[in-house]
Amino acid sequence: MRFYLTTPIYYVNSTPTIGHAYTTIAADIVVRHHRQRGDDTFFLTGVDEHADKVARVAAEQGLEPRAYADRIVGVWQELPRRVDATNDFFIRTSDDGHKAFVQDFLQRIRDNGRDDIYQDVYAGFYCVGCEAFKTEEELVDGKCPDHGTVPEWIEEKNWFFRLSAYQDRLLAIYDEQPDFVLPQFRYNEARSFIAGGLRDFSISRATQTWGVPIPWDPDQVAYVWADALVNYLSALRYAPGKDLERFWPAVHFLAKDILRFHCVYWPALLLAAGFEPPRQLFVHGYLTVDQRKISKSLGNAIDPLDLIDLYGVDAVRFWCARQVSFGQDGNVALDSFGERYDAELANDLGNLVSRTTAMIARYRGGRLTRSPGPGAFDAASLRETIVEQFDRYDITGALDSIWQAVRALNQHVEASAPWNLAKDEARSAELDAVLYDLADGIVAVAVALAPYLPETAPRILEALGQPVDVAIDRVAPGVAVEAEGIEPATPLFPRVDAAAPAA
Ligand code: MSP
C-alpha cells in the first residue's frame, strides 16, 4: 500500500517548541509503523516562510525576509533530525520548485472555467498571529482568543476564491467518507462548519511583497495559506525521487488551530484546481501547560531539545505518545516526564531486558535455546490489535497495548521465579522454556516498539542476539532464534538526576 503523510509546515517566525516536535514525532511514529508493514511511504515536513509575521520579525532584526529565513531555517531543519524523524523531504516555501507550482496551481483554478477566482474589496479584522481574518463573533473582548492580541483593520482590493460554491461538493466528500477527518468529533466540527455556509476568501495580498506573485497580477502576492497548503502537492513535483506524484492523496496531521484551513479550504482548493482531495486528515489537540497552549507568543514554550539532551530522544518520543491520548488535548506536567521515565522506561522495560539477559548469561552461559513454553502473552493478537489501532492513528492506544505485553512479561518473571527453577536440576527444561518465552516476548515487544523507540528497539534485539529486523510480522510467537554470547545488557534508560527543565 502507498502511504503519504505530512505534518503542517511550521512558521519560521520563531524557533521550535515541544508543540511542533509533538506533531513531527507522532507523524514519524505512524510512518515508521507503515514501513514496518512494508508500505511504500513518503513523509513530508518543512517550513512556512511567506507569512506577514515572518516579514515583521525579519524587519525587527533589520533583515530582508529571505535572509532572515535562511538564517533561522537551520534550527527547523534540525528539529526532525533531533527527534529521529525520518522525513523523506524537508520543504521550504521559498524553494523555487514550490513557488513555481503555487503559481501553476492558482492559474489552474483561475482557468477552470467556473469563475472561481474574482476580484473584490475586502475589509475586516486581521490577526497576524493566525494569518487569518476574524469575524467579530470570533473575537473575545475585541481580541483574538488564541493570541490575546487586537487584530488589525485591513481593507484592500484582492483576488477571491469562490469557496461558497464548494459547499455541496465538500459535504459529499464528508458524507461518502465518514472517517475523512479523525477523531470523529473533529469531523463533526468541520462538517458543521461547512454545513453552516461558506464565505469566499481572499487569496492574495496587495500590500505585501514577501510571497509568491500572483501569476496574472504580479503586483499582488499569494495569501500565505493559499501558498502554504499547496506544499503538500508541490513537494511531490520537485523533491528528489522518482514518480512521487503516485503518493497523492496524502494523510495530513495537524492540530485543531488549523482545522478549517485543512479540512475546508484545502479540499476545496484542490477540487477547484482539478486534484483529488486529501485521503484523510487527523486533527490532534494541543499540548498545554496550565490549560494554555504551549507557544512562543504565550511565553510558556518548552524547548524539545532540552528534554532530549536530558532524557534522550526515545524518552521524548515515548512521552509524546503516552502522556496525552493522541487526538485529545493534553496537559503537560513536566514532573510526570521523570516519573514515567523511571517507572515505565527504566523499570518496566529497561529492567525486564536487564534481568532477562542477566538470567540467560548466568543460568545458561549466555545461550538461548529454542524451547517455547506457553508464552507470556498472545503476540499474534497484539500485532492485529496494534495494526488496527494504527489504522485509526491511535498511537496512544497501540502503545498501551504494547505496554500490557511488557507488564505481562514482568508478571511472567515474577510468577515463574526462574531463580528458583535454576536451583533445581530436575526443572531445567522448565527454566529453558521460561527464558525462551521471556526472550521471545521481548523480541516481539521490541519490534512493536520500534516506531516509538527507534534507538532502543535495535539495542534490545542486539542484546538478545537477534537480527535487527523490525518488520511487523515479527510481532508473533516463536520469532526468537537461538543465540549465544548473550551478556547482561547495560541499562537501556539510565537514571537521570537533573530536574526537568522549567516550563
Ligand atoms: N504555518 C502554519 C501551517 C501551514 S500548513 C500548510 C502554522 N504553523 S505553526 O508553526 O503555527 O504550526 C502549527 C502546528 O504546530 C499545529 O497545527 C501543530 O501541528 C503544531 N503545534 C504547535 N504547538 C502545539 C501545541 N502546543 N500542541 C500541539 N501541537 C502544536 O500553523
Side-chain angles (χ1 to χ4, degrees):
M1 196 181 85
R2 258 176 221 141
F3 187 74
Y4 173 26
L5 186 61
T6 71
T7 74
I9 48 170
Y10 307 116
Y11 287 130
V12 293
N13 61 316
S14 61
T15 51
T17 69
I18 189 78
H20 304 109
Y22 180 64
T23 313
T24 301
I25 287 172
D28 186 62
I29 289 170
V30 170
V31 168
R32 283 181 186 262
H33 168 81
H34 278 271
R35 278 196 214 107
Q36 291 188 294
R37 284 158 74 162
D39 288 347
D40 182 20
T41 61
F42 194 76
F43 177 22
L44 181 69
T45 187
V47 286
D48 187 355
E49 301 184 26
H50 296 132
D52 192 26
K53 57 182 164 186
V54 172
R56 291 185 192 204
V57 173
E60 278 164 23
Q61 299 188 9
L63 292 169
E64 286 300 315
R66 178 66 204 234
Y68 164 82
D70 286 347
R71 193 174 285 191
I72 200 169
V73 74
V75 295
W76 286 98
Q77 281 163 331
E78 199 189 331
L79 175 69
R81 290 201 290 267
R82 287 302 303 274
V83 300
D84 245 346
T86 49
N87 55 303
D88 294 284
F89 187 58
F90 185 96
I91 190 165
R92 295 183 61 177
T93 52
S94 59
D95 290 345
D96 289 339
H98 171 75
K99 291 191 288 190
F101 186 83
V102 168
Q103 292 192 320
D104 216 48
F105 187 89
L106 295 176
Q107 190 70 53
R108 284 175 71 126
I109 302 180
R110 182 154 160 86
D111 296 343
N112 74 4
R114 291 195 294 269
D115 203 20
D116 276 343
I117 288 185
Y118 62 94
Q119 216 168 19
D120 203 352
V121 173
Y122 195 89
F125 287 112
Y126 191 78
C127 171
V128 180
C130 295
E131 293 287 3
F133 281 104
K134 297 275 158 179
T135 61
E136 285 192 44
E137 305 86 73
E138 286 171 328
L139 303 177
V140 178
D141 296 332
K143 293 180 180 167
C144 165
D146 283 345
H147 293 91
T149 48
V150 178
E152 297 167 20
W153 183 257
I154 292 189
E155 195 170 335
E156 58 181 45
K157 197 170 189 189
N158 290 154
W159 294 98
F160 277 69
F161 172 63
R162 204 177 300 281
L163 180 66
S164 55
Y166 285 84
Q167 183 180 22
D168 290 346
R169 268 167 283 185
L170 289 175
L171 289 175
I173 294 173
Y174 276 73
D175 292 342
E176 274 159 32
Q177 201 185 325
D179 60 356
F180 181 58
V181 175
L182 287 172
Q184 178 73 45
F185 71 103
R186 297 289 177 206
Y187 170 98
N188 296 342
E189 188 181 329
R191 195 189 180 286
S192 58
F193 179 77
I194 299 166
L198 296 173
R199 278 198 221 173
D200 298 349
F201 67 96
S202 128
I203 54 152
S204 72
R205 291 292 179 269
T207 49
Q208 292 170 24
T209 50
W210 173 234
V212 179
I214 296 289
W216 61 89
D217 181 5
D219 289 341
Q220 300 214 19
V221 295
Y223 168 44
V224 61
W225 277 100
D227 159 353
L229 287 162
V230 179
N231 91 88
Y232 300 134
L233 209 51
S234 71
L236 301 182
R237 274 285 165 91
Y238 74 93
K242 264 181 65 189
D243 188 22
L244 296 180
E245 280 167 58
R246 72 182 187 279
F247 284 108
W248 191 258
V251 175
H252 301 306
F253 273 16
L254 54 134
K256 61 181 182 179
D257 49 345
I258 50 180
L259 176 142
R260 282 185 200 170
F261 294 108
H262 282 80
C263 301
V264 183
Y265 290 23
W266 177 227
L269 288 168
L270 282 163
L271 292 175
F275 292 95
E276 251 185 278
R279 175 167 146 201
Q280 224 170 10
L281 302 111
F282 188 92
V283 184
H284 64 71
Y286 295 148
L287 290 180
T288 52
V289 172
D290 302 333
Q291 315 298 335
R292 305 189 73 194
K293 180 187 172 199
I294 296 171
S295 83
K296 280 271 148 81
S297 54
L298 295 175
N300 62 357
I302 298 167
D303 189 333
L305 306 184
D306 287 347
L307 281 172
I308 292 170
D309 287 344
L310 213 50
Y311 289 95
V313 65
D314 280 7
V316 173
R317 294 171 63 101
F318 176 80
W319 183 83
C320 284
R322 185 114 172 108
Q323 182 68 9
V324 174
S325 181
F326 192 53
Q328 309 299 316
D329 272 356
N331 236 318
V332 179
L334 271 190
D335 25 334
S336 69
F337 197 105
E339 281 163 29
R340 275 203 186 279
Y341 180 89
D342 291 342
E344 300 190 322
L345 289 175
N347 210 26
D348 291 349
L349 180 63
N351 259 347
L352 173 68
V353 174
S354 301
R355 284 166 105 185
T356 303
T357 50
M359 290 190 293
I360 296 171
R362 182 188 304 169
Y363 304 142
R364 290 295 180 251
R367 207 188 138 100
L368 178 68
T369 49
R370 195 179 172 81
S371 44
F377 65 93
D378 182 347
S381 78
L382 173 65
R383 183 185 64 237
E384 278 169 30
T385 306
I386 61 180
V387 163
E388 183 270 321
Q389 287 168 316
F390 266 99
D391 280 342
R392 291 183 280 116
Y393 312 103
D394 184 8
I395 61 173
T396 308
L399 185 52
D400 198 50
S401 307
I402 302 168
W403 224 255
Q404 287 172 26
V406 171
R407 298 220 161 104
L409 285 161
N410 279 308
Q411 279 154 16
H412 196 59
V413 177
E414 295 306 323
S416 57
W419 41 90
N420 288 335
L421 300 176
K423 289 183 201 145
D424 186 349
E425 195 48 42
R427 304 184 74 182
S428 176
E430 251 179 275
L431 177 60
D432 279 336
V434 171
L435 294 178
Y436 182 82
D437 280 352
L438 289 175
D440 191 47
I442 292 172
V443 171
V445 159
V447 172
L449 283 172
Y452 301 88
L453 308 177
E455 287 188 354
T456 308
R459 285 179 60 200
I460 298 176
L461 295 172
E462 276 164 10
L464 285 164
Q466 303 297 311
V468 180
D469 168 3
V470 295
I472 196 80
D473 56 11
R474 282 168 42 82
V475 182
V479 278
V481 293
E482 302 217 340
E484 287 188 33
I486 295 172
E487 291 172 7
T490 49
L492 296 173
F493 298 96
R495 270 205 84 71
V496 174
D497 287 324

